């Protein structure tokens, strides 16, 4: 079978890397290579940035109404291609098809619509000063934005950056993860069909250390929006800092679920299953450390293990499979190494080691059963480091103070879920928990206007609604004397 050849998209045209080098792209559910993508380097980034730079003067001066129409046209294209995009994302990433149909692809379309609408109704900041003058804040597009995205929610997170960047009047050069390039390339066809002026969106594929870093270093790219791992974010920040670039970093997490005895038990079990294992646990918001009040700990653990054992793993196209394959062989190996480490540190593997029955087509896929670990000390590496797979720890706590201390005792601060009926406790914990988002009796309800981002090693800055538009613009305060 011939391989799909993914190409860069620069100045409205599809083209290979100038070196003609390619990388191979694997279907994680079979372990077989099914496409190639350009292995681009600094020379390709230069051409893409130049194309974006040329498009900027005209695009930045188009009216918000016109930009809004283009964004809606892209969203319409995504909606029309929903089935193709959903199948492509599932094949490329390994995640279940039902999930790409219900979450990834609809959300990509919503990202474009949100910012298409938002730019039409963005309030203008103004202050009158002591009957003497009025301050009027002009928000202006900045130029060429570099957008770097990860492999876990490929189109969903890429569109979350492209939409606000171009809505605000910037042009962009994107570098998607080399592990999941497929839907980004389909999006380029949709963008072309929507008639977006050439050069407004450019897509360059390649390795992070080559194409990604060249984009971050490029002198004509004044802002970088990055979603990915903390170590990469630190590297990128170090490269960008001397160049004084505007940088937004959405990084890793080690999120806690705090389940108190007064919680709605059934709802807590049901939602914790999802927050632990949805998308094979490969969502930065997954709750990987579950803390349960001692009085309900044995009951919770028994039910949680029972329900986890029922989750089916395998062929991502089958509706009853809750988990598909992990994104790559290297990632599967990394996640499994944490399970081994847990055993060495005295942890107990409550479930996860059972054999997975796979049909012949999927024998070479990167599958793993959802895994629950108990009995680990909070300072163990498994409870401190991001694993980013279907592996959770469950730990009892005795008091609210202890629960809070355990939850905060990690280098990360992205999100958490709190399960309780006590509103005063919600306020207390909301004040003291070091996270960007705290879900109360819920998980991953995402209002796209809300500020999204993390504290500590989970990142710098916030995305979402006006927060994204603020990042992708610069302010000029016009002070006009009466
Ligand atoms: P990585 O940090 O490995 O990669 C992210 C992107 O950065 C990829 O496109 C990668 O390219 C690129 N990259 C790698 N090295 C460099 C470099 N030196 N300069 C510029 N770009 C570079 O993350 P993963 O793809 O492994 O994604 C998983 C991580 O993303 C997890 O830690 C997860 O928590 C985090 N994440 C955070 C979210 C948030 O909103 N806070 C949301 C989703 C994920 P390549 O793939 O080619 O190496």
């Amino acid at each position: 079978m011939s391989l799909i050849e993914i190409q860069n998209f620069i100045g409205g045209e599809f083209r290979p890397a100038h070196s003609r080098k390619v990388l191979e792209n694997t279907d994680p559910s079979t372990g077989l290579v099914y496409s190639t993508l350009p292995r681009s380097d600094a020379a390709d980034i230069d051409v893409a940035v130049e194309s974006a730079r040329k498009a900027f003067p005209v695009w930045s001066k188009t009216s918000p109404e016109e930009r809004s129409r283009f964004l809606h046209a892209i969203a319409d294209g995504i909606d029309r291609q929903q089935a193709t995009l959903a199948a492509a994302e599932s094949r490329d990433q390994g995640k279940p098809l039902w999930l790409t149909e219900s979450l990834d692809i609809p959300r990509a379309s919503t990202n474009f619509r949100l910012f298409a609408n938002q730019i039409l109704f963005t309030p203008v900041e103004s202050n009158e000063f002591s009957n003497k003058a009025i301050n009027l804040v002009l928000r202006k597009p900045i130029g060429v934005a570099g957008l770097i995205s990860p492999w876990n929610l490929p189109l969903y997170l890429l569109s979350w950056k492209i939409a606000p960047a171009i809505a605000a009047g910037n042009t962009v050069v994107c570098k998607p993860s080399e592990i999941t390039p497929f839907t980004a390339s389909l999006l380029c066809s949709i963008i072309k069909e929507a008639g977006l002026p050439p050069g407004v969106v450019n897509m360059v594929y390649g390795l992070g250390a080559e194409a990604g870093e060249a984009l971050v270093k490029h002198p004509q790219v004044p802002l970088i929006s990055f979603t990915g791992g903390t170590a990469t974010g630190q590297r990128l920040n170090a490269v960008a800092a001397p160049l004084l670039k505007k940088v937004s970093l959405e990084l890793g997490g080690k999120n806690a679920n705090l389940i108190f005895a007064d919680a709605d038990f059934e709802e807590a079990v049901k939602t914790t299953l999802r927050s632990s294992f949805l998308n094979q646990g490969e969502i930065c918001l997954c709750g990987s450390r579950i803390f349960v009040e001692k009085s309900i700990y044995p009951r919770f653990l028994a039910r949680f293990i029972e329900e986890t054992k029922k989750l089916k793993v395998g062929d991502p196209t089958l509706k009853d499979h809750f988990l598909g394959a992990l994104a790559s062989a290297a990632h599967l190996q990394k996640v499994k190494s944490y399970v081994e480490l847990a055993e060495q540190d005295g942890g107990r593997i409550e479930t996860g080691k059972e054999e997975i029955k796979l049909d012949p087509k999927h024998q070479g896929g990167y599958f793993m059963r959802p895994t629950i670990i108990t009995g680990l000390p909070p300072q163990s590496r498994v409870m401190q480091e991001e694993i980013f797979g279907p592996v959770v720890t469950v730990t009892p706590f005795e008091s609210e103070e202890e629960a809070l201390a355990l939850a905060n005792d990690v280098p990360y601060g992205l999100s958490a879920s709190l399960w309780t009926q006590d509103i005063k406790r919600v306020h207390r914990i909301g004040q003291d928990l070091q996270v960007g988002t705290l879900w109360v009796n819920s998980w991953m309800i995402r209002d796209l206007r809300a500020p999204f981002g993390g504290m500590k090693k989970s990142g710098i800055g916030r995305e979402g609604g006006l927060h994204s538009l603020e990042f992708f613009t610069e302010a000029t305060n016009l002070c006009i004397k009466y």
Side-chain angles (χ1 to χ4, degrees), residues 23 147-153 157 160-161 175-180 205-216 226-233 235-236 239 249-253 282-285 331 334 386 388 412 414 452-454 458-459 463:
L23 297 162
L147 312 180
I148 302 177
S149 55
W151 49 255
N152 63 325
L153 299 160
L157 288 174
W160 183 233
K161 294 185 185 304
K175 211 300 282 171
S177 171
E178 123 247 351
I179 296 170
T180 52
Y205 306 90
L207 298 173
E210 296 173 3
E213 197 144 326
L215 183 57
V216 177
F226 171 82
T227 300
T230 295
T232 316
R235 162 87 194 145
L236 191 148
V239 172
L249 300 174
E250 297 290 344
L251 309 177
E282 296 166 328
I283 304 180
C284 54
L285 302 170
H331 189 56
K334 176 192 147 184
E386 185 183 47
F388 213 56
Y412 297 98
L414 190 56
F452 178 83
S458 289
E463 293 181 334

Side-chain angles (χ1 to χ4, degrees), residues 236-245 247:
L236 191 148
N237 209 22
V239 172
L243 304 166
L244 292 178
K245 298 197 178 203
V247 173

